[in-house]
Amino acid sequence: MIDYFRSAYHSLISHKLRSALTILGIFIGVWAIVSMQSIVEGFDNSIEKTMAAYGTETFFVQKFPAIMMGHNWRKYAKRKDFEYEDAYFLEETGQYLRSVSAYMANRVQTIKYRDRKTSPEVTVVGSTAGFFTTNATTIATGRAFTRQDADHRNNVAVIGMDVYSELFIFEEPVGKEISIGSEKFTVVGVLDPMPGGSFESQDNLIIIPITVYQKFYDRSSDSMQLMLRANSSYVISEAMDEAISLLRIRRKVPPGEENDFELFTGDSIIDTMQNMTGYIQLATLGIAGISLIVAGIGIMNIMLVSVMERTREIGTRKAVGAKSAAILWQFLIEAVILSEFGAIIGVAAAFATAWLFTTLVPDMEAVIPLWSIIAAFLYCSFIGIVFGFFPAKKAAKLDPIEALRYE
Amino acid sequence: MTVDSNNVLINFNDIYRTYYMGAEVINALNGVSLEIRKNEYISIMGPSGSGKSTLMNIIGCLDTPTAGVYQFESQVVCDLTGDSIVKMNDNELAKIRNKKIGFVFQTFNLLPRATALQNVELPLIYAGIPKSERREKAMYSLEKVGLLDRATHKPSELSGGQRQRVAIARALVNSPSIILADEPTGNLDSETSKEIMEFLDELHSQNNTVILVTHEPDIAKHAARVIQILDGKIDSDIRKADLVN
């Protein structure tokens, strides 16, 4: 058996270019499968990490579904906008709701303080005062803004740690005046660093009262979101039920009709995202699976050529006593070695891709799942056997006399 | 002349090999009966199309007859007389080729990418002999043909005569019962042919059974027994001793 492997190896090595080209198809297929799996896996993990930061007590309400697929955008757009007063209403009436905030964050802008500028641009969040409690953030220095600030449309701002460290060095930020675009704001507090975060830092933000945000930046409330925090994680479902019924009353949804808003938790986002990445995974598996079949046909082709070319060799081997089975094994092993070799360099390339991805995309770690490597090798063996069998059978069945005479 | 039946190596009894080409029936062998004993040196001669190649293929177990009885040593390769049909299957034939027969071809038929040593080892691989023993036997065989110093050369690096000697070493390596040489000098110049023929003569003198297939009388006369084939039948079967008498 070892001799079969050795002789297969020698015959492949002696046709380096041809073997390399045959392997190419397998290589690309395996590389595509394994590296896509690793990226999807990394993506899933990072979503999970981000969503976990919200904890198990919070959930969200908005007009649009958390993740929209398909093209019924219009249906959701026609729904009534949320108002920031909805947050006040829910917080005051809800028994299970510890705090509720409304916020919008569609804007990134450069913040200036004297001659300093932030780079990159900073996410501007307009929110109600409840934001700080619903988000469970703490203030490092100064204070959070209050409902009064919102009601009076005061130009006050609470800045994230990143903004702070970029604009103020050895300087007390509270009370300083900064500008967002052309508008001046007074810094009232700095947030502690927030946990989690995957694609970008969670601390590169500035929070201003939602009333001010709407006045300066975004009159429409299309994108307003409510973030709700239950009294504890034990009553999260009660809190969600309560929020639904209160909102239905406030938004005058007739009984029996479906909600005109969407409710979701971090977990439900993870589920939806993983559902989606599952489809992507399945699609790449399918496409790459087909490409490997095509590559297998390539192997079969080359093996047939090889059998033709080596007809005399087969005749000689049979004349000196090779049984048909020995010839069959010889060619089958060649085909399997070809496809496995393709798999090996495919997996190696996938490791390189995963490493590149991890390096280039911050906070994202592409991990190659072990099962995908095993599956790649098994599938390639399968391809090698299936597509190597016909040429090998053909070689084994050759009549020794004719094979010896073959020119 | 007394015949020790234990010495009979090959026994052909009324062998036919018939091909059907559409409606045409061709009898490549048309009732051949033949006995070959141990340590004989035989030439099989005949013009092309006479059936001598078919005869050689059947002796060498590369082909099987369509009628008749063929016994190799004590084994029945096939017995197709009457109701009893005994026929070795492909694996059994492969085994006989492997252990009992050493082929030497006109075109050498060496594996081009393997070294001389690897070529000589080939029959031993199929005999399932372990590597160290294989190497030893192959080296011994190469030594016998005087090519020990060429063991690591590939066929393309050897002269025609050297290639044929590698092929002979390969034929000898499994200590076969017969050496079957099909036009062994057909692709060689006269000088090299002489050398190879002397070598075959020497093998015969070392108690090997040698069967030559040739159409050259010069080559055939090396043998002690010359069998002429014509139209699928034995035309004449002459022993040198008879000629002398």
Side-chain angles (χ1 to χ4, degrees):
Chain A
M1 204 67 178
I2 296 163
D3 292 307
Y4 292 152
F5 278 101
R6 197 176 296 128
S7 94
Y9 172 76
H10 282 302
S11 100
L12 293 175
I13 281 296
S14 58
H15 289 108
K16 283 191 192 69
L17 180 67
R18 183 202 282 182
S19 302
L21 289 174
T22 314
I23 280 174
L24 204 60
I26 293 278
F27 157 67
I28 291 171
V30 168
W31 171 71
I33 289 190
V34 179
S35 58
M36 271 315 284
Q37 298 311 314
S38 82
I39 289 167
V40 163
E41 194 96 346
F43 194 63
D44 279 354
N45 289 346
S46 111
I47 291 166
E48 235 165 281
K49 229 165 62 189
T50 313
M51 290 303 151
Y54 286 113
T56 47
E57 291 172 14
T58 36
F59 58 100
F60 304 85
V61 171
Q62 63 181 31
K63 259 168 73 170
F64 297 102
I67 295 154
M68 241 191 306
M69 280 183 281
H71 22 236
N72 35 11
W73 182 81
R74 244 166 238 277
K75 169 186 162 194
Y76 301 114
K78 271 196 291 192
R79 289 170 168 183
K80 196 173 151 201
D81 282 345
F82 278 95
E83 299 159 343
Y84 68 87
E85 289 89 347
D86 294 338
Y88 296 158
F89 165 74
L90 287 172
E91 193 170 274
E92 278 152 21
T93 30
Q95 280 181 22
Y96 294 106
L97 299 166
R98 187 197 299 178
S99 67
V100 181
S101 63
Y103 65 97
M104 300 165 74
N106 282 340
R107 204 169 182 87
V108 287
Q109 246 177 329
T110 311
I111 317 279
K112 283 184 225 152
Y113 171 66
R114 295 198 176 155
D115 57 343
R116 290 176 173 279
K117 267 192 222 174
T118 54
S119 153
E121 296 186 312
V122 174
T123 308
V124 181
V125 179
S127 80
T128 58
F131 185 81
F132 304 97
T133 33
T134 24
N135 226 339
T137 51
T138 49
I139 301 288
T141 171
R143 63 168 176 94
F145 58 73
T146 59
R147 183 157 170 184
Q148 283 71 37
D149 286 322
D151 290 347
H152 296 121
R153 294 171 202 230
N154 291 339
N155 284 11
V156 290
V158 174
I159 58 176
M161 215 21 126
D162 288 0
V163 180
Y164 163 70
S165 50
E166 258 196 290
L167 296 183
F168 302 96
I169 307 168
F170 308 126
E171 219 180 318
E172 171 60 43
V174 175
K176 298 287 167 4
E177 197 167 75
I178 56 171
S179 40
I180 308 174
S182 56
E183 302 304 325
K184 303 267 192 254
F185 286 82
T186 307
V187 177
V188 294
V190 179
L191 287 177
D192 273 326
M194 288 199 253
S198 65
F199 301 113
E200 51 188 322
S201 167
Q202 298 284 89
D203 299 317
N204 189 32
L205 81 172
I206 182 161
I207 306 161
I208 59 174
I210 193 163
T211 47
V212 182
Y213 185 92
Q214 284 181 309
K215 183 169 81 181
F216 291 139
Y217 304 117
D218 199 353
R219 244 163 258 288
S220 114
S221 310
D222 239 15
S223 65
M224 192 180 291
Q225 264 191 4
L226 303 183
M227 190 195 286
L228 305 89
R229 190 178 192 85
N231 288 338
S232 79
S233 55
Y234 302 109
V235 294
I236 177 101
S237 59
E238 285 87 344
M240 287 170 87
D241 288 344
E242 186 176 47
I244 291 170
S245 42
L246 286 175
L247 280 172
R248 283 179 72 95
I249 295 164
R250 187 164 167 89
R251 291 164 71 86
K252 302 195 174 65
V253 182
E257 217 154 281
E258 69 172 287
N259 296 339
D260 67 344
F261 52 87
E262 305 291 327
L263 198 99
F264 50 90
T265 62
D267 280 349
S268 72
I269 294 182
I270 294 174
D271 283 354
T272 322
M273 287 298 265
Q274 282 180 346
N275 241 329
M276 203 164 72
T277 53
Y279 283 122
I280 296 173
Q281 218 161 2
L282 220 64
T284 51
L285 274 181
I287 293 167
I290 291 168
S291 84
L292 282 177
I293 289 177
V294 175
I297 295 171
I299 289 184
M300 180 161 70
N301 220 337
I302 282 302
M303 290 310 294
L304 281 174
V305 171
S306 175
V307 168
M308 276 278 262
E309 274 183 359
R310 285 150 70 191
T311 303
R312 276 184 84 103
E313 175 189 325
I314 295 162
T316 307
R317 286 176 183 273
K318 284 198 156 186
V320 302
K323 292 174 183 163
S324 296
I327 303 290
L328 184 88
W329 275 112
Q330 184 193 341
F331 282 90
L332 205 53
I333 286 170
E334 261 189 59
V336 172
I337 286 182
L338 261 183
S339 60
E340 285 303 342
F341 200 71
I344 289 171
I345 52 175
V347 167
F351 269 105
T353 309
W355 174 81
L356 205 67
F357 197 77
T358 307
T359 319
L360 294 183
V361 185
D363 292 316
M364 183 97 133
E365 201 187 342
V367 266
I368 295 187
L370 184 65
W371 68 261
S372 76
I373 297 174
I374 295 169
F377 281 111
L378 286 181
Y379 190 61
C380 286
S381 303
F382 174 75
I383 291 278
I385 290 167
V386 166
F387 290 99
F389 189 79
F390 173 62
K393 189 82 201 166
K394 202 175 150 156
K397 276 194 339 204
L398 281 176
D399 175 28
I401 299 166
E402 275 168 37
L404 280 168
R405 258 194 233 126
Y406 185 85
E407 290 296 330
Chain B
M1 196 196 263
T2 54
V3 177
D4 180 358
S5 68
N6 285 334
N7 268 340
V8 175
L9 208 55
I10 282 170
N11 193 336
F12 267 35
N13 191 357
D14 206 19
I15 291 279
Y16 284 80
R17 180 65 173 94
T18 311
Y19 294 97
Y20 298 92
M21 289 181 154
E24 215 176 332
V25 178
I26 298 162
N27 281 318
L29 288 185
N30 206 353
V32 173
S33 295
L34 182 67
E35 201 177 72
I36 296 171
R37 268 170 253 131
K38 253 176 211 160
N39 197 24
E40 275 201 283
Y41 195 177
I42 298 172
S43 284
I44 296 172
M45 290 194 71
S48 58
S50 60
K52 68 177 191 300
S53 291
T54 308
L55 180 61
M56 193 209 78
N57 289 337
I58 289 177
I59 292 174
C61 292
L62 286 167
D63 195 4
T64 46
T66 42
V69 183
Y70 176 18
Q71 270 180 289
F72 190 101
E73 295 182 331
S74 51
Q75 299 176 73
V76 177
V77 175
C78 64
D79 182 348
L80 304 167
T81 47
D83 306 329
S84 63
I85 290 180
V86 183
K87 211 171 174 177
M88 281 189 176
N89 64 27
D90 282 350
N91 285 346
E92 290 167 320
L93 291 172
K95 201 169 164 185
I96 294 226
R97 291 198 296 269
N98 184 243
K99 305 240 174 194
K100 305 287 184 189
I101 295 160
F103 286 98
V104 178
F105 301 98
Q106 178 178 2
T107 49
F108 322 136
N109 285 352
L110 299 174
L111 305 189
R113 286 182 292 272
T115 64
L117 183 67
Q118 287 167 338
N119 267 293
V120 176
E121 273 185 333
L122 197 62
L124 302 176
I125 290 178
Y126 294 120
I129 289 167
K131 194 178 166 78
S132 58
E133 194 185 336
R134 222 156 65 197
R135 187 118 304 178
E136 199 180 308
K137 282 192 167 186
M139 289 301 252
Y140 178 65
S141 201
L142 272 177
E143 195 184 356
K144 269 203 275 192
V145 299
L147 284 176
L148 206 51
D149 55 333
R150 297 282 189 276
T152 56
H153 289 234
K154 298 211 164 139
S156 56
E157 298 157 354
L158 298 172
S159 70
Q162 287 173 330
R163 286 184 214 181
Q164 195 59 300
R165 271 149 70 195
V166 172
I168 292 171
R170 179 179 66 191
L172 290 173
V173 75
N174 234 352
S175 317
S177 303
I178 53 170
I179 308 282
L180 206 52
D182 183 12
E183 306 273 12
T185 59
N187 277 16
L188 300 173
D189 59 55
S190 59
E191 196 56 38
T192 324
S193 296
K194 222 179 115 196
E195 186 194 322
I196 292 295
M197 286 320 296
E198 279 167 9
F199 195 78
L200 287 174
D201 293 350
E202 199 186 317
L203 283 181
H204 172 243
S205 69
Q206 289 163 0
N207 292 329
N208 285 297
T209 312
V210 178
I211 301 174
L212 276 174
V213 177
T214 184
H215 63 271
E216 288 177 70
D218 278 356
I219 299 297
K221 73 175 188 228
H222 282 261
R225 178 179 171 194
V226 178
I227 298 170
Q228 287 276 359
I229 302 287
L230 197 65
D231 298 330
K233 284 182 175 159
I234 294 181
D235 192 45
S236 68
D237 184 350
I238 303 162
R239 287 182 166 80
K240 266 211 183 122
D242 301 342
L243 285 178
V244 172
N245 293 341

